[in-house]
Amino acid sequence: MKFQELLQSVDFKKVALAFERMYPDDKHMLPFLKCHYDILCHITPIYDENANAQECRISYIYDEIVNKSYLSAFPLEGDKWSASLCKEIIIDCDVNATKEEIVACCLWHTSFWGYTEEQLSETAKDFNIYSDKADIEISLIELTGNLQELEKLGCKIDSLPTYTDVKSIVKMRANLKYSRWKQKYIKKHIRNRMFRRDFLRTEHYNYINSIACFILDICKYSSNRDNHLLLDFCKLFQSKRFAAYSYQSRTYGKSDSAEYLIELITRYNAFDKEYIFSNLILCIEKASIDLTLTTCEQNLCDCIWTLCPNGTNRTIITVNPSLKSELKIIVAFYE
């Protein structure tokens, strides 16, 4: 069976359940995995004689460090997705996994460098530009560049939040990454020192940069790029807590794009409950120049607004012709 045939033979809802069992630490990535799955199902397979292999072997790999065997799909990482879809899936005789578990494993591998084509491009770009730099250096470079872009737009930032200002949210973000990284077998006192020196400082920069990226994303297609809008956005840098999310539907004209995004939110928990704060800004990007919301799009707004029933909710609608039949939401929670 080809990989494409395997993908088309399963229901993603069941794949999601398998993924949660197999990768409990990564279940927050399910909304992205759903998009990734739909992208792969839409791609046309293209044979590539230069691919790592023309087959993908499903087997159990034993990890001596944790004394545990886990399912592996090799090779899938590093090949073009269109080429991977052509690969013959070969299952070792001792593998007793379900089709849904095998697909979950394959998706874990194919999405290793990114869930979308845009993320793959960003990953490749980072490898080319930042290959010799540490995470904290990369974070500072990206933050500096984005702040300069905001200045060009006329966004005047009086001051940036200090670590003390946003200590609680920075620690939340750092601990999420550190909880996985600390599984590496490094002495505890060294890990703790590196956590304070590297993780917290890096996440402080990343936190500020997440606000800058949010503003830049909204302004990219906004027709209301006025001083009042930018002044309001600049106030986000004074927030004690901030988290931003961006999702694009992947319906390819086969279903309603707003309903697709509603499913990401309600079924696959697109917004982490720990990062839903009192107030929100919702930006809806659509291809149509008619900014009137359809019934489904209004339902999407209602679905998001109910997450912050007592706070300040603001909605911005922008036109992005490249979306065609798709819909994109950019959401920020803050307080």
Side-chain angles (χ1 to χ4, degrees):
M1 179 183 290
K2 302 290 186 183
F3 182 35
Q4 183 193 41
E5 296 171 325
L6 178 62
L7 288 175
Q8 295 173 342
S9 70
V10 297
D11 181 346
F12 183 80
K13 296 182 183 69
K14 295 181 179 179
V15 174
L17 294 174
F19 187 88
E20 284 189 274
R21 292 194 304 270
M22 298 167 66
Y23 308 101
D25 292 339
D26 294 326
K27 62 183 180 181
H28 63 288
M29 303 310 295
L30 276 175
F32 301 105
L33 201 74
K34 163 65 172 164
C35 296
H36 179 63
Y37 170 82
D38 291 326
I39 290 171
L40 292 186
C41 288
H42 179 72
I43 289 177
T44 301
I46 300 176
Y47 176 79
D48 183 1
E49 63 179 9
N50 296 317
N52 289 322
Q54 300 307 326
E55 63 181 37
C56 172
R57 182 165 295 277
I58 309 299
S59 61
Y60 288 118
I61 302 295
Y62 178 69
D63 189 331
E64 294 182 353
I65 296 178
V66 296
N67 191 28
K68 182 180 178 181
S69 294
Y70 58 91
L71 200 61
S72 172
F74 181 83
L76 281 179
E77 297 168 21
D79 279 328
K80 294 178 180 178
W81 292 339
S82 56
S84 291
L85 291 171
C86 297
K87 293 188 179 187
E88 189 73 27
I89 300 296
I90 307 297
I91 304 174
D92 282 3
C93 58
D94 63 332
V95 172
N96 58 3
T98 65
K99 282 200 299 184
E100 289 77 16
E101 289 170 336
I102 292 173
V103 170
C105 176
C106 290
L107 293 176
W108 190 91
H109 285 278
T110 53
S111 64
F112 191 82
W113 301 111
Y115 294 92
T116 66
E117 295 93 333
E118 295 82 5
Q119 289 179 352
L120 283 180
S121 298
E122 284 297 316
T123 300
K125 177 183 173 183
D126 289 347
F127 272 128
N128 291 331
I129 299 176
Y130 303 130
S131 59
D132 60 340
K133 290 180 171 56
D135 287 348
I136 191 168
E137 293 178 282
I138 297 172
S139 297
L140 185 56
I141 292 171
E142 291 182 342
L143 171 59
T144 303
N146 285 331
L147 290 178
Q148 290 173 349
E149 287 297 314
L150 287 177
E151 287 183 10
K152 292 178 183 177
L153 291 177
C155 190
K156 297 181 180 180
I157 306 168
D158 295 329
S159 62
L160 296 174
T162 65
Y163 170 72
T164 303
D165 292 334
V166 293
K167 183 177 180 179
S168 61
I169 183 67
V170 167
K171 277 195 170 183
M172 284 172 64
R173 293 165 59 106
N175 279 321
L176 181 63
K177 295 182 180 180
Y178 180 67
S179 63
R180 301 169 193 166
W181 181 84
K182 72 180 181 181
Q183 294 174 5
K184 297 180 180 179
Y185 290 82
I186 302 174
K187 291 182 179 180
K188 185 176 180 180
H189 73 279
I190 296 177
R191 290 204 314 264
N192 290 341
R193 184 173 69 245
M194 294 180 73
F195 176 75
R196 292 190 299 270
R197 187 190 66 195
D198 296 332
F199 276 84
L200 289 179
R201 289 174 61 197
T202 300
E203 282 310 309
H204 179 215
Y205 293 146
N206 288 343
Y207 170 81
I208 301 172
N209 196 36
S210 68
I211 300 175
C213 288
F214 172 76
I215 299 173
L216 289 172
D217 284 346
I218 294 240
C219 289
K220 187 182 300 181
Y221 297 104
S222 176
S223 59
N224 300 316
R225 199 180 299 173
D226 55 39
N227 290 334
H228 294 295
L229 185 69
L230 287 171
L231 284 174
D232 284 346
F233 284 160
C234 288
K235 294 176 183 176
L236 291 172
F237 286 104
Q238 306 310 315
S239 303
K240 299 299 181 184
R241 294 187 173 195
F242 177 92
Y245 299 84
S246 177
Y247 293 104
Q248 180 182 320
S249 64
R250 304 286 173 173
T251 66
Y252 301 101
K254 295 180 180 179
S255 60
D256 188 88
S257 54
E259 290 182 352
Y260 183 98
L261 293 171
I262 290 173
E263 184 182 36
L264 285 189
I265 297 168
T266 57
R267 183 183 292 276
Y268 301 114
N269 300 316
F271 305 127
D272 190 328
K273 292 180 180 179
E274 291 189 21
Y275 293 91
I276 296 177
F277 307 124
S278 303
N279 311 297
L280 75 82
I281 299 173
L282 165 61
C283 176
I284 297 180
E285 287 186 11
K286 51 192 299 185
S288 172
I289 59 174
D290 181 4
L291 301 184
T292 305
L293 296 178
T294 65
T295 300
C296 289
E297 289 168 352
Q298 186 60 55
N299 291 339
L300 172 62
C301 291
D302 293 340
C303 177
I304 298 173
W305 290 338
T306 55
L307 298 173
C308 303
N310 301 316
T312 301
N313 297 341
R314 180 171 184 174
T315 302
I316 300 167
I317 304 174
T318 61
V319 177
N320 179 356
S322 67
L323 288 173
K324 298 180 180 179
S325 63
E326 304 296 352
L327 203 65
K328 182 177 179 180
I329 55 172
I330 307 172
V331 184
F333 298 98
Y334 67 99
E335 62 184 32

